[in-house]
Amino acid sequence: MQEQGHGETNTVKLAERRVFSSSFKPLYNEGMTLVERAAEYLDGEGRAAAKTLTRVGATLYAAESMRLTTRLMQIASWLLLQRAANSGEMTRDQVAAEKAKVRLDTTSAPTDTAGWTELPDTFRTIVDHSLRLQALVRRMDDEIYGEPASQRYVAPQRGNPVSDQINLLHTAFARG
């Protein structure tokens, strides 16, 4: 799709148009709802279900819970930054600077990993949903900002990923 104006031809990025329009709200709501759903599950039903798993299942559950939490925090950070840009609370340059800290590449264990089928169905459903949402957000990010997010990310020299992520969320919420 191309738009013309004053003798110029500019390519319109559909993902960028989506993020910077009212059609962004359903994606934002989906991401934030998934974050809430995962938190409620991990703190309630998931905690009880984890106690019934074998040692292999429990170890995998713990690892996957950490991956899930990390993945969802990254997705939420990206969504909050896009919302701040969309509402004019941050410039695109400010978003780009903060977004450089966001990683959209948190993997999950393969489904043929020992203990995977032992994991609770609800947990596996949440993990699958988070992976699909991460893939969508990553494709949009790549389209809007050019190069793949994994190539833009520069690992922090010190600190830890959890506190770095909390700081990123504080930055996004402070502006919103």
Side-chain angles (χ1 to χ4, degrees):
M1 173 188 263
Q2 295 190 343
E3 288 183 352
Q4 293 188 338
H6 304 302
E8 298 177 4
T9 301
N10 295 315
T11 302
V12 176
K13 295 177 179 178
L14 295 178
E16 186 170 14
R17 180 168 279 184
R18 179 178 182 192
V19 166
F20 294 102
S21 74
S22 61
S23 65
F24 174 71
K25 191 171 184 171
L27 176 65
Y28 177 85
N29 289 341
E30 178 184 359
M32 293 307 173
T33 299
L34 184 59
V35 168
E36 288 177 27
R37 180 178 173 212
E40 287 172 7
Y41 176 82
L42 292 172
D43 198 37
E45 181 185 337
R47 185 177 304 226
K51 293 177 181 177
T52 67
L53 299 173
T54 65
R55 181 178 297 223
V56 170
T59 301
L60 180 59
Y61 181 86
E64 281 302 306
S65 295
M66 291 296 290
R67 289 182 188 122
L68 172 64
T69 303
T70 300
R71 183 180 312 112
L72 290 174
M73 293 292 283
Q74 297 293 329
I75 292 169
S77 296
W78 189 90
L79 292 169
L80 287 166
L81 288 169
Q82 303 317 307
R83 185 182 74 170
N86 193 5
S87 66
E89 296 169 17
M90 293 177 75
T91 66
R92 289 188 188 192
D93 288 341
Q94 289 171 320
V95 169
E98 288 298 319
K99 203 179 70 48
K101 302 171 189 173
V102 176
R103 294 195 62 156
L104 298 170
D105 60 356
T106 305
T107 60
S108 187
T111 57
D112 63 353
T113 299
W116 184 263
T117 57
E118 184 183 337
L119 298 177
D121 289 339
T122 302
F123 179 73
R124 289 185 298 177
T125 299
I126 293 170
V127 169
D128 290 344
H129 188 175
S130 73
L131 288 167
R132 287 191 310 274
L133 186 60
Q134 177 182 252
L136 171 62
V137 166
R138 188 173 182 166
R139 282 191 307 273
M140 292 178 74
D141 185 81
D142 291 350
E143 185 177 328
I144 294 167
Y145 298 100
E147 64 189 9
S150 60
Q151 292 178 10
R152 278 194 310 277
Y153 179 77
V154 178
Q157 296 300 315
R158 62 190 187 318
N160 74 48
V162 173
S163 67
D164 292 343
Q165 195 61 41
I166 290 170
N167 288 336
L168 182 59
L169 286 170
H170 281 294
T171 300
F173 277 117
R175 299 186 194 282

